Amino acid sequence: MKIFKTKNELYKWNKLQADKVIGFVPTMGALHRGHLSLIKAAKKECEQVVVSIFVNKLQFDPNEDFEQYPRTIEQDIKKLQDEGTNVLFCPLQKEIYPNNPTLKINEINISRKLEGSSRPNFFSGVLTVVLKLFNLVQPSIVYFGEKDIQQLCVIKKMVAELNMPIIVRSCPTVREESGLAMSSRNQYLTVKERQEAAMLYCALSKGAQLIKQNENIKTIKTEMIKILQNKNIIIDYLAVVELDSFEEIKHYNNQSLLIAGAIYYNKIRLIDNIIIR
Ligand code: AMP
């Protein structure tokens, strides 16, 4: 596996790839089976697979966990080699943000909902870095996880609206046995805490079950809240929204839906969702 830390090295490598199909998996590292599932999907259909590890400061608010975010580069390199990754791009902050950024990408519709209403600068930070990375890697196909479904949708919009010649693939959420969605932030939790944090998935699953029984949305939310009654949990949001618009729904008419939630478990922010198609 080639490891590049500078844009220049990546640029030189890219020039040698001619018409090869390049698959790209952007990550913030602390790799787990969720990330690896994206790399496996890329390996299946691409001639070259590039993975980036970059903890993107621009998407963290000052009160968030940028400094504490887990950084496990040695273990990550080993996992990437085992998956047959061709290139790891792991730049320093100054390589991606050489000056104080004066240009940012904003999506002004779905980015304002759910995650965006709790983290107002998040999607702008994500889109800005993802666009920079796409321009550097020049992939044909990119891979994103449904675990971060709103991020996936916002990136799909950017690619479509900016006419970028890129295919965006979505990959299903990989979970621990308890149902807890795998996340780099799970490293902050003990084994016992992870069991308890799986309650978020229990609540969303209950919501999905009740939707299928045509229960009304208000009752569904009440039932989900009941499951999350725990002294260690603060609910940020629980929502039943239309999949494409992220608009909250009042009635279920067999449209594609998303049941999404964010909680603070002992101050650690966890998100998850279930898609109903
Ligand atoms: P992150 O390193 O958290 O920025 O995630 C990098 C990519 O991995 C994103 O596309 C995420 O949606 C995806 N991802 C993270 N966790 C999971 C998971 N449990 N299952 C599937 N994909 C995931």
Side-chain angles (χ1 to χ4, degrees), residues 26-28 32 34-35 38 69 144-145 147-148 151 172-174 182:
T27 82
M28 298 208 298
H32 50 68
H35 296 115
L38 272 52
Y69 197 85
F144 287 86
K147 147 93 188 344
D148 303 284
Q151 166 176 286
T173 303
V174 177
M182 293 216 160

Side-chain angles (χ1 to χ4, degrees), residues 1-3 76-78 80-81 84-88:
M1 181 174 74
K2 295 185 165 54
I3 302 180
D76 290 353
I77 288 174
K78 171 87 186 46
L80 292 173
Q81 281 167 335
T85 307
N86 301 96
V87 172
L88 165 62

Side-chain angles (χ1 to χ4, degrees), residues 59 61 64 110-123 126 147-152 154 185 200 236-239 241 246 258 260-264 269-273:
Q59 73 191 59
D61 272 340
E64 293 181 344
I110 57 176
S111 309
R112 299 213 168 135
K113 297 168 182 151
L114 306 186
E115 282 300 285
S117 62
S118 297
R119 307 179 73 191
N121 300 311
F122 176 70
F123 287 115
V126 168
K147 147 93 188 344
D148 303 284
I149 184 75
Q150 205 177 350
Q151 166 176 286
L152 170 66
V154 171
R185 288 192 170 95
L200 175 56
D236 184 5
Y237 64 79
L238 282 173
V241 298
F246 285 80
L258 182 72
I263 59 169
Y264 290 93
R269 193 163 186 285
L270 300 172
I271 62 169
D272 199 354
N273 69 79

Side-chain angles (χ1 to χ4, degrees), residues 68-86:
Q68 299 83 40
Y69 197 85
R71 288 160 175 88
T72 59
I73 190 72
E74 294 306 323
Q75 291 101 300
D76 290 353
I77 288 174
K78 171 87 186 46
K79 289 177 188 169
L80 292 173
Q81 281 167 335
D82 291 347
E83 293 301 329
T85 307
N86 301 96

